[in-house]
């Protein structure tokens, strides 16, 4: 049994609530909001990419609506060889907006986990994934968010994306893209357009951040996940008994050790401060031992009565 399994088992047996993955970052947007955001991001990408092109200096080769020929061949499930090259190229020239939408949704928006990111960062990351690949975009996103760079947009990256203020995240991401473009051998030919694209995408991301339709409050109202995190209240829902508080017992023992020695001569008793402390400590130790014994018995009893097997659940433990 590994550490995570042990912690999960302990939490279940003793009723301890550990932070879950859903508490680590906000939940996904509602489907209609995500669809609207995707459409807005894709309109921008298509405006940046243009129509069909076949620039000899472009390593992607034949491209239409931003879809390169090798990507289109994978989408069609055909090898890009001499047998299929001409037919695939002809089909790419006739690529429709509807088919391009499906390719971008599956191979870039979903593959890059844009639906898990804050709106402004989602549209910026999507454009980067299209222009520089899903893996390359993931690395730059992680570099901007100051998390481990492993090219996998997982829970840690997503949580960092929601925690970092979006103006800072966007500025750092944009600078990472500019630095990458400047490192490419074809920057002399495409560099001006690439840098202009970063600026245009940054402007789009900022406009999305200011759009009330994608404001956090609106997203929370439209969440499809009904397992909402309870809002904090002024008092805990299930307050513990005062006798369980070590702080209160400490105050009681300290007060008695001060007051009883003064009152004992009046009452005809021989009570010293040391005696009170010893009795108090004995009471506390007895309580701790009794609680441990009761807890053990309840654990055994609960396991005997249990009708369901204990399973594993993913969670995030924040220290």
């Amino acid at each position: 049994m590994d550490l995570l399994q042990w912690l999960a088992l302990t939490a279940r047996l003793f009723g301890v609530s550990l932070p879950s993955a859903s508490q680590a970052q906000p939940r996904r947007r509602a489907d209609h909001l995500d669809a609207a955001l995707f459409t807005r991001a894709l309109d921008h990408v298509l405006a940046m990419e243009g129509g069909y092109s076949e620039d000899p200096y472009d390593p992607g080769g034949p491209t239409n609506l931003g879809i390169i020929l090798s990507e289109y061949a994978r989408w069609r499930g055909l090898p890009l060889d001499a047998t299929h090259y001409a037919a695939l190229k002809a089909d790419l020239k006739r690529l429709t907006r509807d088919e391009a939408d499906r390719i971008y949704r599956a191979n870039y928006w979903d593959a890059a986990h844009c639906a898990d990111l804050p709106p402004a960062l989602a549209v910026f990351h999507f454009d980067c994934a299209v222009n520089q690949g899903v893996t390359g975009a993931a690395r730059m996103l992680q570099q901007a968010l100051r998390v481990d760079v492993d090219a996998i947009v997982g829970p840690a990256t997503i949580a960092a994306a929601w925690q970092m203020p979006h103006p800072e995240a966007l500025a750092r991401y944009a600078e990472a893209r500019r630095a990458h473009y400047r490192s490419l051998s074809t920057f002399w030919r495409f560099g001006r357009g690439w840098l202009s694209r970063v600026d245009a995408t940054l402007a789009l991301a900022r406009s999305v951040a200011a759009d009330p339709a994608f404001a956090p409050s609106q997203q929370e109202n439209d969440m499809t996940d009904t397992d909402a995190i309870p809002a904090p209240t002024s008092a805990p829902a299930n307050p513990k008994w005062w006798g369980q508080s070590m702080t209160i017992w400490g105050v009681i023992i300290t007060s008695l050790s001060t007051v009883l020695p003064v009152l004992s001569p009046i009452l005809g008793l021989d009570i010293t401060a040391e005696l009170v402390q010893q009795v108090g400590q004995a009471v506390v130790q007895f309580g701790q031992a009794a609680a441990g014994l009761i807890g053990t018995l309840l654990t055994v009893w609960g396991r005997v009565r249990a009708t369901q097997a204990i399973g594993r659940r993913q969670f995030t433990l924040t220290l």
Side-chain angles (χ1 to χ4, degrees):
M1 179 181 295
D2 58 27
L3 177 59
L4 293 181
Q5 290 175 311
W6 181 85
L7 287 173
L9 177 60
T10 303
R12 179 174 177 180
L13 291 176
F14 292 99
V16 177
S17 178
L18 296 174
S20 65
S22 62
Q23 294 171 307
Q25 76 267 342
R27 296 154 293 172
R28 279 191 165 205
R29 285 177 288 277
D31 289 344
H32 70 281
L33 284 176
D34 193 61
L37 188 62
F38 168 70
T39 299
R40 190 163 176 177
L42 183 56
D43 288 343
H44 167 78
V45 164
L46 294 179
M48 295 290 101
E49 294 290 350
Y52 183 82
S53 65
E54 195 170 349
D55 192 315
Y57 291 99
D58 186 350
T63 305
N64 193 13
L65 300 179
I67 305 296
I68 62 176
L69 186 59
S70 60
E71 181 70 21
Y72 185 66
R74 284 193 295 271
W75 173 258
R76 295 284 302 277
L78 296 173
L80 188 58
D81 54 19
T83 303
H84 300 91
Y85 186 89
L88 283 170
K89 183 176 175 180
D91 288 345
L92 180 64
K93 289 182 179 180
R94 295 189 294 267
L95 181 66
T96 65
R97 168 67 188 258
D98 287 343
E99 187 174 14
D101 282 12
R102 295 194 297 272
I103 295 173
Y104 277 115
R105 180 78 197 203
N107 293 4
Y108 295 97
W109 186 265
D110 292 341
H113 296 274
C114 296
D116 296 314
L117 300 174
L121 203 55
V123 298
F124 196 89
H125 184 55
F126 174 66
D127 182 80
C128 185
V130 171
N131 193 233
Q132 295 165 295
V134 172
T135 300
R139 290 194 180 99
M140 279 181 275
L141 172 64
Q142 291 172 327
Q143 178 184 342
L145 297 175
R146 300 190 181 97
V147 297
D148 291 341
V149 178
D150 58 7
I152 300 173
V153 180
T157 301
I158 294 170
W162 285 95
Q163 291 166 3
M164 181 178 287
H166 76 265
E168 180 184 356
L170 290 172
R172 290 178 56 82
Y173 200 165
E175 191 51 43
R177 287 185 68 174
R178 295 187 188 104
H180 176 75
Y181 286 134
R182 293 189 179 100
S183 70
L184 299 178
S185 60
T186 51
F187 181 78
W188 64 273
R189 181 172 180 84
F190 303 109
R192 180 176 297 180
W194 286 337
L195 296 181
S196 177
R197 179 171 182 159
V198 172
D199 293 339
T201 309
L202 190 58
L204 170 67
R206 288 168 175 165
S207 70
V208 167
D211 190 336
F214 301 108
S217 59
Q218 178 65 25
Q219 292 181 54
E220 290 168 4
N221 292 335
D222 291 325
M223 288 299 177
T224 57
D225 183 0
T226 58
D227 295 330
I229 300 174
T233 57
S234 57
N238 297 304
K240 68 180 181 181
W241 176 51
W242 67 266
Q244 295 176 295
S245 172
M246 297 302 295
T247 302
I248 293 178
W249 275 110
V251 172
I252 292 174
I253 293 172
T254 302
S255 300
L256 290 177
S257 65
T258 303
V259 175
L260 286 182
V262 176
L263 297 179
S264 60
I266 301 176
L267 300 175
L269 301 173
D270 184 14
I271 301 176
T272 63
E274 291 77 7
L275 179 60
V276 174
Q277 291 283 359
Q278 291 174 2
V279 173
Q281 290 175 0
V283 171
V284 171
Q285 290 174 356
F286 175 79
Q288 291 174 336
L293 177 60
I294 293 172
T296 302
L297 293 176
L298 287 175
T299 300
V300 176
W301 181 62
R303 280 290 80 213
V304 172
R305 291 183 68 253
T307 59
Q308 290 182 312
I310 296 177
R312 298 182 62 181
R313 173 176 290 183
Q314 182 180 0
F315 66 90
T316 302
L317 182 61
T318 304
L319 300 178

